[in-house]
Amino acid sequence: MRRISTCCFTTRVSTETRSKQKQKHPQRSGEDMETQQMSNTNDDSAARIEDHNTVNSSPGSATNIIINGDFSMGLHSWHPNSCHSFIVSAESNYPEGTSTNSAGNHAVVTNRRECWQGLEQDITSQVSHGLTYLVSASVGVSGPLQGSADVLATLKLEYQDSATSYFFIGKTSASKERWEKLEGTFTLSAMPNRVVFYLEGPASGVDLLIRSVVITCSSPEGCENKRAGCDTAGDENIILNPKFEDGLSNWSGRGCKIVLHDSMADGKIVPLSGKVFASATERTQNWNGIQQEITGRVQRKLAYEVTAVVRIFGNNVTAATVQATLWVQTLNQRDQYIGISNVQATDKDWAQLQGKFLLNGSPAKVVIYMEGPPPGTDILVNSLVVKHAEKVPPSPQPIIENPAYGINIITNSEIRDGTTGWFPLGNCTLSIGTGSPHILPPMARDSLGPHEPLSGRYILVTKRTQNWMGPAQMISDKLKLFLTYQVSAWVRIGSGATGPQNVNVALSVDNQWVNGGQVEINDDRWHEIGGSFRIEKQPSKVMVYIQGPTPGVDLMVAGLQIFPVDREARFKHLKRQIDKIRKRDIILKFSGAGSGSMLGCFVKVRQTQNGFPFGSCINRSQIDNEDFVNFFAKHFNWAVFGNELKWYWTEAQQGNLNYKDADDMLELCKSHNIETRGHCIFWEVEDTVQSWIRSLNKNDLMTAVQNRITGLLSRYKGKFRHYDVNNEMLHGSFYQDRLGKDIRANMFKTANQVDPSATLFVNDYHVEDGCDTRSCPEKYIEHILGLQEQGAPVGGIGIQGHIDSPVGPIVCSALDKLGILGLPIWFTELDVSSINEYVRGDDLEVMLREAFAHPAVEGIMLWGFWELFMSRNSAHLVNAEGDINEAGTRYLALKQEWLSHAHGQIDEQAEFRFRGFHGSYILEIANFSKKVVKTFVVDKGDSPLVVTIDV
């Protein structure tokens, strides 16, 4: 193939010169500009045309393979290449001095520091080898430019086993006065792993303008045939020989042998379908199994569904987890393991395993395999199917007729009619007592408002011989699907208890336990119990009951309330609270030589970013997906790494340190001015501790702990604003059990010595929802005070926020209690889950509004937002292939609501006043001679902020 000279500047340069220039390109170092598998029928020159000769949207009858080629959907499917871009409408006449005369939008690519920076789109799935494609684009330039500048159309071609190459399509010479047409053609003689089209060329500092891009096939009939073939293939199984009809062809063992069977165990095991099945046998490790390479048959950024029929056999194991896993080797030889799904398989029956996966980056190699059972146990596979996942239509918004907010569904709640409506669960005895509180519990009062006094009567439960025995009531016909119910009651225990007693309001939903709230009692006082729940599938039988104390301990229950919550009513209160604590009065005071003539001038204030931290969890593989990065960088200003900073990730094997993933992610955040939290230095739960650490003796473990702190915090000194020092200390005690009580405080002390700039956090879950007595606010406060008494420099309180069916007053009550410590509170891992996107959006809105409205909360981190890359199912805001769902729409709407805008005229004192959220602003001042644009920042503060604007 001939070497093509591609020119970035207004004069032609040689290939040798270009190869020297490309060494500055962060992604092209060492990559060959020679085109290896392409042919080019384009002449290097391109015709200059007048503006009225615009690019046709569909030359001939062909279809444009470029998505959003006219920018009518903003920048959807387009991505700036290491620069910035935005959309300008025709009416705005941007940039000044450019005569667009356009009826539609155009893109502006700005902040360009290199000639190769521009706008790009991945067209891998839209093109096929052996076909010729016609390219036509309408382009222009703007900025510090004398004369004209070349605009180039280029293809970036990524191959599995060879260097990335770049293919020059065509160019045109553009000036600031008109739109120009750029034309060219290209043909792929072989299909790369990835094909990216982009426009580049003008020198540094010059803005690139793009009005439209059209790429069509020169032979529409041939393209349609190719496309039809691809569409059919998208519905087909990409697994070869999926039912073993061709023996073990295309299959292999992963560290073990594989064998074909028509039956096993003297004919007791036969295929569920077909005539044969395969077994992975002689397994010596959990990861041994049966595998197939699927390289080249899966595409990045597409979601795939996996369905397998499996079972186990041998080694006296009757049940074990079988998991489908993807091993991915990236183009830079990095290994990634993606857990697709798992199922509890048995030796009695075949089980179906189902899951989904998505590849973010361009892989060099992809292998799918089955693993999981203990060594010596065979994995049997009857079939495996991997298909492009069908897009599931969004769930409809629930329509709830007569929700009856605030109405208690419990019969005879105040025991005014004996025990009518109640029955004893088990062989216990119910009777009536008097002397319980006459007021509603505080969390219920916050939801219901003023309420008539309670009766003071309670149910006394005696002769309890099991923990689960207590008063019960059937409520099957009183519940409505998708409503959030708040639970509230007064509870007390009798004498004779040895140690703290757990009391729980529970629901049996078709014999499945649902937690309605818990409290721990260690005295003879009345205690408030609060919680919540929601039913999303129609049950046949629902029972509520109160349980918990050890057998022989009497239980007292008063004023049980279960009522649907009116969330919108509380939002009004939260909006007033938000306006009070998250905004500030601002006085713009104009000064300077021109200030005397500013009276009556029109000013427009627009907030570009709220100063409050809104962040998200990210992982290493996601940053290879430009769609993910674009959404993340646009809508979040903080980040936390899901796994890549945890000890089991950075040192899975003793002495083998891996900081490469964290380094890559930190660099991405730095490039987008995104702050980062360090999660986590240690994790106190034993199941999360790697085996080599568990095997250490006390002295070696102490040394390893010290090395972990100094190694991690020295390497990243000043780079992480926060650290979760020892994660989930209320739910685990691995290090404390082995190294003594002082180790926890010493971890904080040492971390502070190594990196004094970092704020050190405690971090735990189920703090805010009333459903876990181990981590209730009172226990958390006691825990934090204990650390501080030992000298631990605890600087912040982390509430993870993995919550279901949140109720505002319950969350707020926890925040109020923790707020007395005077430490900043962050929601560090917030996620909500519902199969219905609208309900999920409701839950998310509750949590975001409650957190944003509370003065003690100083930051909110979501535990991810992209489908298939979250720890909980049905918790995502963006679907796997990039579509924003209703929950995501709700998040973006709240972010928009929490931006301030104002406009008006400058008064006699040369001032303009408004009240706005903390954060960054742009100010535009318009008078008769010119428009002045300024920026300013509003920090937190109680007094009015005076901002001097020099004009």
Side-chain angles (χ1 to χ4, degrees):
M1 301 295 294
R2 66 186 181 95
R3 186 179 294 271
I4 299 171
S5 174
T6 54
C7 176
C8 276
F9 304 99
T10 56
T11 57
R12 292 184 61 84
V13 294
S14 69
T15 304
E16 180 181 1
T17 304
R18 175 61 180 252
S19 67
K20 292 178 181 177
Q21 293 169 351
K22 74 180 180 180
Q23 292 174 9
K24 299 179 182 179
H25 192 305
Q27 295 177 336
R28 295 190 193 179
S29 179
E31 294 172 349
D32 190 2
M33 283 298 298
E34 183 176 1
T35 58
Q36 298 175 355
Q37 293 180 314
M38 301 192 60
S39 62
N40 183 2
T41 58
N42 176 70
D43 182 77
D44 280 354
S45 62
R48 173 187 293 271
I49 62 168
E50 298 297 327
D51 177 66
H52 59 268
N53 292 324
T54 57
V55 177
N56 295 326
S57 60
S58 56
S61 59
T63 301
N64 188 6
I65 68 169
I66 288 289
I67 300 172
N68 187 29
D70 60 359
F71 302 99
S72 59
M73 295 184 290
L75 288 170
H76 175 68
S77 297
W78 291 98
H79 304 283
N81 189 353
S82 303
C83 50
H84 295 90
S85 61
F86 58 91
I87 293 296
V88 174
S89 64
E91 294 76 15
S92 65
N93 194 31
Y94 177 92
E96 294 180 10
T98 297
S99 177
T100 61
N101 298 323
S102 174
N105 298 339
H106 68 272
V108 178
V109 187
T110 189
N111 291 350
R112 300 176 60 257
R113 298 180 299 276
E114 301 284 351
C115 61
W116 49 262
Q117 292 176 336
L119 203 61
E120 66 178 35
Q121 183 172 139
D122 190 323
I123 60 172
T124 310
S125 61
Q126 306 296 320
V127 294
S128 302
H129 69 276
L131 297 174
T132 299
Y133 293 88
L134 313 178
V135 177
S136 183
S138 179
V139 297
V141 291
S142 176
L145 177 69
Q146 299 295 325
S148 61
D150 283 352
V151 178
L152 285 68
T154 307
L155 287 184
K156 179 182 179 182
L157 309 173
E158 297 179 1
Y159 296 95
Q160 177 179 328
D161 298 318
S162 59
T164 297
S165 62
Y166 295 85
F167 183 79
F168 168 67
I169 299 172
K171 73 174 184 178
T172 189
S173 182
S175 68
K176 295 168 63 174
E177 302 301 324
R178 66 179 78 192
W179 293 104
E180 302 293 349
K181 180 185 283 188
L182 188 162
E183 293 182 304
T185 65
F186 67 87
T187 302
L188 300 173
S189 57
M191 191 63 197
N193 289 73
R194 187 173 180 229
V195 183
V196 177
F197 170 85
Y198 66 99
L199 293 164
E200 59 172 333
S204 171
V206 177
D207 290 351
L208 172 60
L209 314 182
I210 308 168
R211 185 166 59 172
S212 62
V213 180
V214 176
I215 300 180
T216 58
C217 186
S218 62
S219 173
E221 182 179 351
C223 289
E224 289 302 321
N225 292 337
K226 290 272 188 178
R227 188 176 296 112
C230 290
D231 291 343
T232 302
D235 295 330
E236 291 180 353
N237 188 4
I238 68 170
I239 295 295
L240 304 177
N241 188 26
K243 295 184 177 181
F244 308 99
E245 294 169 341
D246 192 19
L248 295 174
S249 175
N250 301 109
W251 295 93
S252 62
R254 189 173 185 83
C256 62
K257 289 178 59 178
I258 58 172
V259 180
L260 192 68
H261 306 269
D262 55 12
S263 67
M264 288 178 67
D266 297 326
K268 295 178 181 177
I269 300 177
V270 296
L272 183 67
S273 64
K275 298 180 179 180
V276 292
F277 59 90
S279 70
T281 189
E282 299 183 20
R283 299 174 60 251
T284 60
Q285 304 288 336
N286 293 69
W287 52 265
N288 295 155
I290 185 170
Q291 65 180 6
Q292 182 171 137
E293 182 175 349
I294 56 175
T295 309
R297 285 176 269 146
V298 286
Q299 296 183 40
R300 64 188 294 264
K301 301 197 299 183
L302 289 184
Y304 291 89
E305 292 176 330
V306 177
T307 305
V309 177
V310 298
R311 69 190 292 170
I312 60 172
F313 176 76
N315 201 28
N316 295 318
V317 176
T318 59
T321 299
V322 174
Q323 174 170 303
T325 303
L326 211 63
W327 172 62
V328 180
Q329 188 176 67
T330 63
L331 294 173
N332 59 0
Q333 303 300 301
R334 177 178 299 172
D335 290 344
Q336 295 176 347
Y337 293 88
I338 301 173
I340 300 170
S341 183
N342 61 68
V343 68
Q344 191 71 7
T346 72
D347 63 346
K348 299 292 190 295
D349 295 298
W350 292 97
Q352 188 176 77
L353 180 155
Q354 290 183 301
K356 293 170 69 175
F357 71 86
L358 176 141
L359 299 178
N360 286 301
S362 299
K365 191 172 184 179
V366 187
V367 174
I368 188 170
Y369 65 98
M370 298 294 162
E371 62 171 335
T377 304
D378 293 352
I379 301 174
L380 313 185
V381 179
N382 190 196
S383 62
L384 176 62
V385 177
V386 179
K387 292 183 177 181
H388 180 217
E390 294 183 6
K391 290 195 174 184
V392 179
S395 47
Q397 184 173 6
I399 299 175
I400 303 171
E401 298 181 0
N402 187 27
Y405 293 126
I407 303 300
N408 190 8
I409 66 172
I410 295 297
T411 300
N412 191 24
S413 169
E414 298 186 38
I415 323 300
R416 296 181 186 274
D417 190 18
T419 58
T420 301
W422 295 92
F423 61 89
L425 186 63
N427 296 320
C428 55
T429 300
L430 306 186
S431 58
I432 307 300
T434 59
S436 58
H438 287 273
I439 61 171
L440 276 179
M443 287 183 286
R445 192 163 62 245
D446 287 344
S447 289
L448 297 173
H451 196 276
E452 63 183 37
L454 300 179
S455 67
R457 296 162 66 85
Y458 62 87
I459 294 178
L460 172 63
V461 190
T462 58
K463 300 181 181 179
R464 300 176 60 255
T465 59
Q466 299 289 336
N467 295 67
W468 49 264
M469 290 184 178
Q473 188 169 134
M474 300 304 300
I475 56 173
S476 309
D477 58 345
K478 299 178 181 179
L479 296 173
K480 295 180 183 292
L481 296 185
F482 296 110
L483 270 181
T484 299
Y485 288 88
Q486 183 171 343
V487 178
S488 174
W490 289 111
V491 292
R492 182 180 174 186
I493 59 173
S495 59
T498 57
Q501 300 293 306
N502 184 47
V503 178
N504 168 227
V505 177
L507 293 97
S508 174
V509 181
D510 290 338
N511 297 317
Q512 295 293 315
W513 177 76
V514 174
N515 191 353
Q518 299 188 55
V519 67
E520 185 178 272
I521 302 177
N522 197 22
D523 53 36
D524 61 354
R525 296 183 294 110
W526 287 96
H527 289 258
E528 176 184 17
I529 191 168
S532 62
F533 69 91
R534 181 172 55 237
I535 307 297
E536 297 194 355
K537 293 175 64 177
Q538 185 63 53
S540 58
K541 184 174 68 173
V542 182
M543 175 180 67
V544 61
Y545 59 105
I546 299 89
Q547 62 163 354
T550 56
V553 177
D554 294 346
L555 173 63
M556 290 161 266
V557 181
L560 176 64
Q561 300 261 344
I562 298 180
F563 55 90
V565 178
D566 185 357
R567 290 166 153 180
E568 289 291 337
R570 183 168 174 83
F571 287 169
K572 296 176 183 178
H573 158 72
L574 296 177
K575 288 178 180 179
R576 292 191 295 269
Q577 182 73 2
I578 287 169
D579 188 81
K580 181 179 179 181
I581 70 169
R582 303 297 180 193
K583 287 185 175 182
R584 189 174 183 183
D585 290 324
I586 303 150
I587 303 171
L588 302 182
K589 194 169 186 65
F590 299 88
S591 64
S595 61
S597 60
M598 299 298 291
L599 176 63
C601 285
F602 183 80
V603 298
K604 181 179 179 182
V605 178
R606 178 171 59 88
Q607 188 171 14
T608 55
Q609 186 175 54
N610 194 299
F612 189 86
F614 289 101
S616 175
C617 166
I618 63 174
N619 68 49
R620 174 58 187 85
S621 74
Q622 288 178 307
I623 70 174
D624 294 330
N625 185 335
E626 61 274 18
D627 296 338
F628 172 88
V629 172
N630 185 51
F631 188 96
F632 168 64
K634 184 176 181 180
H635 300 297
F636 297 96
N637 54 16
W638 276 70
V640 62
F641 305 165
N643 291 301
E644 289 79 0
L645 213 65
K646 291 171 180 170
W647 199 0
Y648 65 61
W649 191 279
T650 62
E651 196 176 5
Q653 304 296 325
Q654 188 172 11
N656 295 329
L657 297 176
N658 167 32
Y659 290 116
K660 174 60 176 168
D661 294 330
D663 290 347
D664 291 347
M665 298 164 74
L666 199 59
E667 182 62 29
L668 173 85
C669 293
K670 181 181 178 181
S671 70
H672 291 283
N673 297 316
I674 292 173
E675 299 282 4
T676 50
R677 301 191 74 252
H679 176 80
C680 52
I681 305 176
F682 300 102
W683 197 345
E684 191 70 277
V685 178
E686 182 165 355
D687 288 347
T688 68
V689 178
Q690 55 269 55
S691 59
W692 72 264
I693 295 176
R694 293 200 300 267
S695 68
L696 297 177
N697 62 41
K698 182 176 180 178
N699 290 337
D700 290 343
L701 178 59
M702 184 67 80
T703 300
V705 165
Q706 182 68 31
N707 291 341
R708 164 67 173 170
I709 299 175
T710 55
L712 181 72
L713 273 71
S714 295
R715 179 184 182 88
Y716 295 116
K717 188 172 183 177
K719 295 183 178 180
F720 288 99
R721 293 278 300 275
H722 300 169
Y723 279 104
D724 296 328
V725 175
N726 192 3
N727 198 37
E728 298 174 2
M729 288 182 278
L730 297 176
H731 290 90
S733 57
F734 174 82
Y735 297 101
Q736 180 173 267
D737 291 345
R738 288 157 179 79
L739 301 176
K741 184 179 180 182
D742 292 342
I743 187 60
R744 291 177 167 180
N746 289 338
M747 288 173 172
F748 277 83
K749 294 175 187 177
T750 306
N752 180 247
Q753 291 169 0
V754 179
D755 188 354
S757 67
T759 303
L760 304 180
F761 275 69
V762 292
N763 192 50
D764 229 302
Y765 61 93
H766 284 330
V767 176
E768 76 292 351
D769 55 12
C771 71
D772 189 343
T773 57
R774 294 172 296 176
S775 52
C776 63
E778 292 81 4
K779 288 280 185 69
Y780 211 9
I781 291 169
E782 180 183 346
H783 169 64
I784 294 167
L785 291 175
L787 288 170
Q788 291 177 327
E789 288 172 2
Q790 292 179 280
V794 180
I797 302 171
I799 300 175
Q800 291 184 8
H802 303 292
I803 192 168
D804 293 306
S805 315
V807 170
I810 296 176
V811 174
C812 185
S813 173
L815 295 174
D816 287 344
K817 292 172 182 176
L818 292 169
I820 66 172
L821 294 175
L823 295 172
I825 298 173
W826 279 59
F827 279 94
T828 55
E829 304 180 19
L830 177 63
D831 58 21
V832 294
S833 176
S834 172
I835 58 175
N836 187 286
E837 294 176 8
Y838 289 88
V839 177
R840 192 186 317 157
D842 291 344
D843 285 353
L844 183 63
E845 184 171 358
V846 167
M847 292 304 297
L848 292 176
R849 288 194 185 277
E850 289 291 341
F852 197 53
H854 201 282
V857 176
E858 297 190 8
I860 302 171
M861 307 291 296
L862 302 187
W863 200 241
F865 58 87
W866 201 278
E867 185 184 12
L868 303 183
F869 296 91
M870 302 190 68
S871 61
R872 300 173 71 190
N873 293 326
S874 303
H876 56 282
L877 314 187
V878 181
N879 298 337
E881 295 182 1
D883 301 316
I884 302 172
N885 61 29
E886 177 59 30
T889 300
R890 197 78 58 91
Y891 170 76
L892 297 181
L894 286 173
K895 288 290 299 296
Q896 192 64 36
E897 179 182 320
W898 295 331
L899 293 175
S900 296
H901 308 295
H903 63 271
Q905 293 178 313
I906 299 175
D907 63 18
E908 293 85 352
Q909 286 77 41
E911 295 177 349
F912 178 74
R913 298 169 180 256
F914 71 102
R915 183 170 176 80
F917 287 105
H918 311 138
S920 303
Y921 287 82
I922 290 179
L923 167 67
E924 294 182 8
I925 313 162
N927 59 24
F928 295 108
S929 60
K930 62 179 180 178
K931 185 187 340 184
V932 179
V933 178
K934 301 283 186 177
T935 62
F936 61 93
V937 175
V938 176
D939 294 320
K940 292 188 290 186
D942 296 326
S943 60
L945 175 67
V946 179
V947 181
T948 301
I949 306 294
D950 186 5
V951 293

